Amino acid sequence: MKNDDIVLTASDELIFRAMKIVVQGLGIYLGEGCEIVLHSLADLQASAIEVIHGHHSGRQTGAPITNLALKMLEDIESGDAPRTLAYFNKNKHGITIKSATIPIVGEHERIIGLICINFYMDLSLADFLSAFSPLANQESDNLNMIESFSQNVDDLISDSVAEIQEEIMNNPDISPNNKNKEIVLRLQEKGIFNIKDAVIKVAEQLDISKNTVYMHLRNSRQ
């Protein structure tokens, strides 16, 4: 590197605050077999500012940057390597690791940090399945969540209405007079009405007036 440490700006600090949330989320998603380290180049002697599943390497917050990360940072800055690198390496115990080094670009297009991801290939099948198999997460509250991968906003609204409409219309505990109201309230809980013109599109799909939709929304707030 052309300079050892860098001085972070206020914008850079905000980026790191956001990146901490990102690596924490990745740690939850990828599971115990994946170590994730967020490095700040503001202090190479204690560059690790967030360490997820550090039990694999023994690293904790405050650990220095690695020699390999330094070399790859040089390659990235000199243009001799892609900005994001994926590679295999081994730790001191000979365990094969699938790794990735992702530079964090801050203000003025400077590289201010790195996200280093290390997946330990000696992970047992049982441990792997515990992170990626729904059968191993039967007690999860999110097991039966359904996500709509729509191509556009109209499809997103339409799919959401259709999903909730089917559920409500087949529920004998909800009276016919309250079914549209319940559909509107469920859509509100899902945040659909944060989308521009959602009220109009929902009203059209339910074959009711937009004023009726607004009425149900006002009553729910009261």
Side-chain angles (χ1 to χ4, degrees):
M1 291 176 61
K2 299 178 180 60
N3 57 314
D4 291 335
D5 299 332
I6 65 172
V7 178
L8 300 179
T9 66
S11 295
D12 295 335
E13 295 285 1
L14 289 174
I15 290 172
F16 276 117
R17 286 174 58 184
M19 287 298 103
K20 284 185 178 183
I21 298 173
V22 169
V23 298
Q24 290 165 4
L26 285 174
I28 294 172
Y29 175 74
L30 295 172
E32 289 287 331
C34 193
E35 177 186 63
I36 308 172
V37 182
L38 174 61
H39 290 283
S40 167
L41 303 185
D43 182 0
L44 300 183
Q45 307 303 314
S47 67
I49 61 175
E50 188 76 17
V51 180
I52 309 297
H53 301 150
H55 55 274
H56 290 287
S57 65
R59 281 184 294 181
Q60 299 178 352
T61 300
I65 199 166
T66 66
N67 59 337
L68 185 58
L70 281 175
K71 172 62 170 64
M72 291 190 166
L73 189 60
E74 285 284 354
D75 293 341
I76 291 170
E77 291 188 331
S78 64
D80 295 335
R83 293 183 71 84
T84 296
L85 306 171
Y87 51 95
F88 288 94
N89 64 350
K90 292 182 181 293
N91 67 4
K92 61 183 179 181
H93 302 295
I95 296 172
T96 300
I97 306 169
K98 175 66 182 294
S99 299
T101 299
I102 306 168
I104 301 171
V105 179
E107 196 171 18
H108 310 306
E109 295 299 312
R110 302 174 305 156
I111 296 178
I112 60 174
L114 301 168
I115 295 177
C116 295
I117 302 175
N118 299 306
F119 188 84
Y120 285 75
M121 305 299 290
D122 67 333
L123 186 70
S124 70
L125 179 61
D127 287 339
F128 177 82
L129 290 177
S130 70
F132 289 97
S133 171
L135 298 178
N137 290 274
Q138 291 288 351
E139 297 180 0
S140 172
D141 293 336
N142 299 326
L143 183 61
N144 295 316
M145 291 182 66
I146 299 174
E147 186 170 6
S148 176
F149 298 99
S150 306
Q151 294 297 320
N152 53 61
V153 171
D154 286 352
D155 287 348
L156 171 62
I157 296 173
S158 178
D159 291 346
S160 299
V161 173
E163 175 192 339
I164 295 174
Q165 191 174 29
E166 181 180 5
E167 176 187 347
I168 298 301
M169 291 303 180
N170 293 327
N171 188 338
D173 296 329
I174 301 174
S175 67
N177 291 336
N178 287 325
K179 288 189 183 295
N180 282 335
K181 174 184 177 181
E182 189 64 29
I183 292 170
V184 170
L185 297 182
R186 297 284 183 90
L187 290 170
Q188 183 188 29
E189 291 174 358
K190 289 179 174 290
I192 292 299
F193 294 108
N194 292 322
I195 300 174
K196 183 180 178 182
D197 295 331
V199 168
I200 297 173
K201 298 180 188 304
V202 169
E204 291 174 351
Q205 192 161 344
L206 295 179
D207 196 22
I208 58 178
S209 71
K210 66 178 182 180
N211 290 333
T212 301
V213 176
Y214 281 123
M215 179 187 68
H216 292 322
L217 293 174
R218 283 196 304 270
N219 291 339
S220 71
R221 297 188 185 106
Q222 292 172 359

